[in-house]
Amino acid sequence: MNTVVEKNLIDQSGVNSRHLDWLESEAIHIMREVAAECSNPALLFSGGKDSVVLLRLAEKAFRPGRFPFPLVHIDTGHNFEEVIEFRDRRAAELGEKLIVRSVEDSIARGTVRLRNPATDSRNAAQAVTLLETIEEFKFDACIGGARRDEEKARAKERIFSFRDEFGQWDPKGQRPELWDLYNTRVHPGENMRVFPISNWTELDVWQYIAREKLALPNIYFAHERQVIPRNGLLVPLTGLTPALEGETIETQTVRFRTVGDISCTCPVASDADTVEAIIAETAITQITERGATRMDDQTSEASMEKRKKAGYF
């Protein structure tokens, strides 16, 4: 390729724009395939960086029209306030319908039972509330921001991931997706989980955020926070995650690589306070974001797969 032309394909973040263009085009195609083939889809939007990217892709796929699906969030009740505020503000800016269903309501109904509802992690319990929400609205497809590089179980997912009438996932019973042809047929009660950014990496996501100049909750950027060093992680000091006997509390400069239930989501030590700094940091990290930040994924290598088989996203 002509050197001048090739240089013009490199944006200010040092990214070859053709790579992001390809990923974007594939994701838009997948979203339009959902809209064309599924009768009642939904897009899961938590306010996190991956779902922010999904919203931008949906804008490119369907604007100036309305999205052909509502936004849905399963709220554990133990989410970071900054993320919930951002979620509501972003949905309002887009003028799209946001459906919120709460694990707290599932606890009240008795469909979720925890030993201590006030302090126990509700992360895995989201699966129950999600299945109840799918049944309530009769969704036949739920679009989410999971990526194959996040975790071993998610690497087994198809882009159109089939769920049976009980909402369960069988990694050995998924449909082939040769030549990007997707089988979206489901019987009543069955549904699909669809992952348009399956082939993206964490670095791709941040590079796309930089290129598209997307806003994010501020906890993704470096800030001072009280944390508790525990088992190689930095546990945020909160009412849900207090210091245990003998533990020390430190004030460190940290950022969150992923946002989720407070009870199981940890920040990492970092002074990256801009998207460009985060891209540089992400480019050299050797630990996945879930491996570095999620306490519930450290119980065993099979913990995510077990949750997914039971209906977790």
Side-chain angles (χ1 to χ4, degrees), residues 130-151:
L130 174 59
L131 293 177
E132 291 174 342
T133 305
I134 290 171
E135 173 61 26
E136 178 185 354
F137 293 95
K138 307 301 180 186
F139 292 132
D140 61 347
C142 290
I143 305 167
R147 307 185 321 269
R148 288 171 176 154
D149 75 320
E150 289 182 83
E151 198 273 339

Side-chain angles (χ1 to χ4, degrees), residues 54-202:
L54 286 182
L55 287 190
R56 181 59 173 155
L57 293 167
E59 286 186 275
K60 292 196 173 187
F62 305 111
R63 288 298 194 230
R66 296 289 300 275
F67 293 173
F69 37 65
L71 311 181
V72 174
H73 183 221
I74 305 302
D75 188 351
T76 66
H78 291 168
N79 296 99
F80 291 96
E81 291 183 5
E82 301 96 322
V83 180
I84 296 300
E85 186 277 331
F86 178 86
R87 176 202 70 187
D88 294 342
R89 174 162 45 87
R90 190 71 188 104
E93 289 170 351
L94 288 169
E96 297 293 341
K97 180 179 181 181
L98 173 65
I99 297 171
V100 178
R101 290 296 180 267
S102 172
V103 173
E104 190 75 47
D105 292 337
S106 296
I107 293 172
R109 286 192 294 269
T111 53
V112 167
R113 297 185 180 183
L114 302 173
R115 285 179 297 179
N116 188 335
T119 59
D120 285 358
S121 175
R122 300 179 178 183
N123 194 46
Q126 291 179 84
V128 175
T129 309
L130 174 59
L131 293 177
E132 291 174 342
T133 305
I134 290 171
E135 173 61 26
E136 178 185 354
F137 293 95
K138 307 301 180 186
F139 292 132
D140 61 347
C142 290
I143 305 167
R147 307 185 321 269
R148 288 171 176 154
D149 75 320
E150 289 182 83
E151 198 273 339
K152 291 179 180 179
R154 284 183 165 164
K156 297 179 181 180
E157 288 277 18
R158 297 289 196 266
I159 289 176
F160 281 75
S161 183
F162 174 74
R163 298 299 198 270
D164 66 19
E165 64 271 26
F166 300 106
Q168 296 178 328
W169 173 65
D170 178 7
K172 296 180 179 180
Q174 296 300 304
R175 300 164 177 178
E177 294 181 339
L178 304 176
W179 305 291
D180 295 332
L181 297 175
Y182 307 115
N183 182 349
T184 62
R185 183 176 299 173
V186 293
H187 296 294
E190 300 171 343
N191 65 87
M192 308 293 295
R193 309 287 173 85
V194 185
F195 307 108
I197 61 172
S198 288
N199 293 326
W200 299 44
T201 65
E202 183 184 8

Side-chain angles (χ1 to χ4, degrees), residues 11-13 15 20 204-214 216 275-276 279:
D11 66 17
Q12 292 180 349
S13 302
V15 182
L20 291 181
D204 293 328
V205 167
W206 279 108
Q207 290 173 335
Y208 191 75
I209 288 168
R211 191 181 82 170
E212 300 295 314
K213 297 179 174 57
L214 302 179
L216 291 172
V275 173
E276 291 71 27
I279 289 173

Side-chain angles (χ1 to χ4, degrees), residues 25 38 62 65 69 124 139 150-151 164 191 195 217 221 225 247 250 254 269 278 294:
S25 178
C38 301
F62 305 111
F69 37 65
F139 292 132
E150 289 182 83
E151 198 273 339
D164 66 19
N191 65 87
F195 307 108
F221 301 96
R225 184 178 290 263
E247 290 185 327
E250 301 176 2
V254 300
I278 291 173
R294 299 302 286 268

Side-chain angles (χ1 to χ4, degrees), residues 123 126-127 154 163 193 290 304 307-308 310-313:
N123 194 46
Q126 291 179 84
R154 284 183 165 164
R163 298 299 198 270
R193 309 287 173 85
R290 295 189 71 90
M304 171 63 86
R307 294 201 302 274
K308 287 178 69 65
Y312 187 80
F313 208 84

Side-chain angles (χ1 to χ4, degrees), residues 211-243:
R211 191 181 82 170
E212 300 295 314
K213 297 179 174 57
L214 302 179
L216 291 172
N218 56 20
I219 64 173
Y220 275 112
F221 301 96
H223 58 282
E224 284 195 349
R225 184 178 290 263
Q226 288 187 305
V227 296
I228 309 154
R230 181 185 299 166
N231 299 327
L233 298 174
L234 297 177
V235 178
L237 179 66
T238 71
L240 292 171
T241 51

